[in-house]
Amino acid sequence: RSSQQGADSGDGSPSSAAAETPSSEDFSLSLLDTNLPAEAETELRSFIAKRLTKGALFEGMGNVASVGLSIPEYKVGCYYCRFQQENLLEMTTLESEINVPEYVVCFLGGSEKEDTFRLELDKYIQSLKINLDLEQKTLETCVNPCLRSWFENAICPVQRVVQLFQEKLAFLLHAALSYTPVEVKNADERTEKDISRFLAAASLQGLVQEGTMTSLCIAMTEEQHKSMIIDCGGPQPQLHNAGSNRFCEDWMHAFVNGAEGGNPFLFRQILENFKLKAIQDINNLKRFIRQAEMNHYALFKCYMFLKNCGSGDVLLKIVKVEHAEMPEARNVVTVLEEFMRE
């Protein structure tokens, strides 16, 4: 605000101590940290100021936009997020006159494909908020290193997992798709976190019904012999109790072939396409099952679809859980299970 010092933080990031919908007089932007050249930083500051003036930045919710900067002379993808310092926010009461400074962090990448990583970057900002305490002068020790390692920590885990597992990635994709519990042994902290993030990103969480997901997790956890164990003690991870299918093997080749370019955004896009195809297959199977309740020819279509899609084992488990309370559909699934076993 005009009566106080604004603050900012980020990889070229302006910020404001603005109200919910500030006018252009309500805030000032001061730079805390950047590795952008001065001219590009000024352009980014102008872009953020316009967004703040329009009230287009909501606290804690990241946005992704394309920004034209004179350096490196093309449009770049910019993730930006506005937030407040938590420890000061807790001290502030309705009656107090303390103006809580607000920050905007901006992360710049080669394209707007940061959008595929928006949830990861939102989580990253939450961890940054915890470290940010300017009163205790943690900017140099905690915040700046966190800002500079955002790409390595939030964007690259999928790429590192692909490079580590190579052809064995098919087993990891199958575990994510089938909600198989995974235990990681003899791995350093970063590798363990990378595997966990990959499994979370590859699962259909949020894309299938929540009840289905919970039931599948319970069913797979009860089958203890099906827990997959990843031993990272040697140069190559060793897998035990691992399962796979043709669908996951086909997608593994897409990842391994993409590794030549080394673009982490490409890997994430392949992962999103993998999940999209799995959801399409589930929806097609459900449609065939509805038809098969009344029509024997549709039952045969169900069977042929399961046989040819490459992931019949996983799809049957998912629809079995979803149709557990529906007698006609459950009967169809039982018949399909028998045919598939034979």
Side-chain angles (χ1 to χ4, degrees):
R1 298 178 185 282
S2 53
S3 61
Q4 72 176 63
Q5 177 65 45
D8 325 3
S9 155
D11 198 330
S13 77
S15 133
S16 87
E20 285 306 307
T21 52
S23 70
S24 56
E25 291 81 27
D26 274 336
F27 63 90
S28 62
L29 295 176
S30 57
L31 181 71
L32 278 187
D33 187 34
T34 185
N35 60 1
L36 277 177
E39 188 180 354
E41 190 276 317
T42 304
E43 292 163 344
L44 183 60
R45 183 188 294 244
S46 170
F47 167 78
I48 293 296
K50 285 175 187 171
R51 294 291 169 120
L52 285 166
T53 304
K54 292 175 182 174
L57 270 76
F58 297 100
E59 209 274 338
M61 288 175 61
N63 298 271
V64 174
S66 185
V67 185
L69 301 178
S70 55
I71 300 169
E73 298 179 352
Y74 62 87
K75 286 193 172 185
V76 295
C78 173
Y79 167 90
Y80 57 96
C81 185
R82 165 187 155 196
F83 68 93
Q84 292 175 313
Q85 200 171 320
E86 283 194 334
N87 59 328
L88 287 182
L89 201 57
E90 290 166 7
M91 292 160 50
T92 307
T93 64
L94 290 172
E95 294 80 24
S96 81
E97 294 182 5
I98 298 173
N99 285 313
V100 179
E102 292 188 291
Y103 305 85
V104 178
V105 174
C106 300
F107 296 137
L108 300 178
S111 73
E112 282 189 69
K113 287 177 182 169
E114 278 88 346
D115 199 35
T116 55
F117 286 95
R118 191 164 49 80
L119 292 177
E120 282 90 340
L121 291 172
D122 283 349
K123 286 178 187 172
Y124 199 72
I125 295 298
Q126 289 300 316
S127 67
L128 178 65
K129 282 170 72 170
I130 294 165
N131 289 327
L132 183 63
D133 181 358
L134 296 182
E135 295 297 313
Q136 295 178 16
K137 307 207 183 313
T138 60
L139 184 65
E140 288 297 326
T141 55
C142 295
V143 178
N144 288 13
C146 190
L147 290 173
R148 280 168 169 69
S149 60
W150 72 274
F151 192 81
E152 187 71 16
N153 290 339
I155 306 297
C156 293
V158 171
Q159 182 180 24
R160 287 196 292 265
V161 168
V162 172
Q163 290 168 343
L164 177 65
F165 281 81
Q166 296 291 320
E167 280 78 12
K168 292 178 181 176
L169 193 73
F171 300 111
L172 213 55
L173 290 170
H174 188 268
L177 209 56
S178 59
Y179 304 91
T180 302
V182 174
E183 294 175 37
V184 181
K185 296 182 176 179
N186 303 318
D188 58 74
E189 187 183 356
R190 189 176 82 164
T191 302
E192 195 165 345
K193 277 185 180 174
D194 284 354
I195 293 170
S196 174
R197 285 177 180 174
F198 183 90
L199 288 166
S203 81
L204 301 181
Q205 186 167 6
L207 298 175
V208 298
Q209 294 173 21
E210 199 170 318
T212 300
M213 196 182 67
T214 307
S215 301
L216 276 166
C217 288
I218 292 168
M220 294 308 290
T221 306
E222 284 172 352
E223 298 177 32
Q224 283 301 325
H225 62 283
K226 291 205 172 178
S227 293
M228 186 170 89
I229 297 166
I230 301 172
D231 187 346
C232 296
Q236 280 287 312
Q238 298 299 312
L239 308 180
H240 307 282
N241 302 329
S244 185
N245 58 31
R246 196 174 73 248
F247 181 80
C248 294
E249 284 162 13
D250 289 345
W251 281 96
M252 172 273 292
H253 289 299
F255 280 102
V256 172
N257 293 339
E260 295 168 11
N263 181 348
F265 297 108
L266 173 63
F267 290 121
R268 187 51 193 266
Q269 196 57 57
I270 295 171
L271 201 55
E272 292 303 312
N273 293 343
F274 162 80
K275 288 155 65 175
L276 181 63
K277 184 66 174 78
I279 286 293
Q280 285 174 344
D281 285 351
I282 290 169
N283 290 337
N284 281 332
L285 180 58
K286 284 185 194 171
R287 186 161 48 82
F288 290 144
I289 287 173
R290 281 197 302 272
Q291 293 168 0
E293 291 173 20
M294 312 293 291
N295 183 321
H296 283 176
Y297 177 68
L299 180 62
F300 180 70
K301 273 171 70 177
C302 275
Y303 167 65
M304 292 307 294
F305 177 78
L306 282 170
K307 205 175 160 192
N308 296 325
C309 70
S311 59
D313 57 331
V314 175
L315 297 189
L316 256 181
K317 276 181 186 163
I318 293 172
V319 294
K320 185 177 182 180
V321 168
E322 284 201 3
H323 294 95
E325 305 300 321
M326 300 154 70
E328 292 86 357
R330 194 174 64 229
N331 290 339
V332 172
V333 173
T334 304
V335 172
L336 290 171
E337 279 185 313
E338 290 172 10
F339 271 102
M340 292 297 283
R341 271 199 298 273
E342 288 173 15

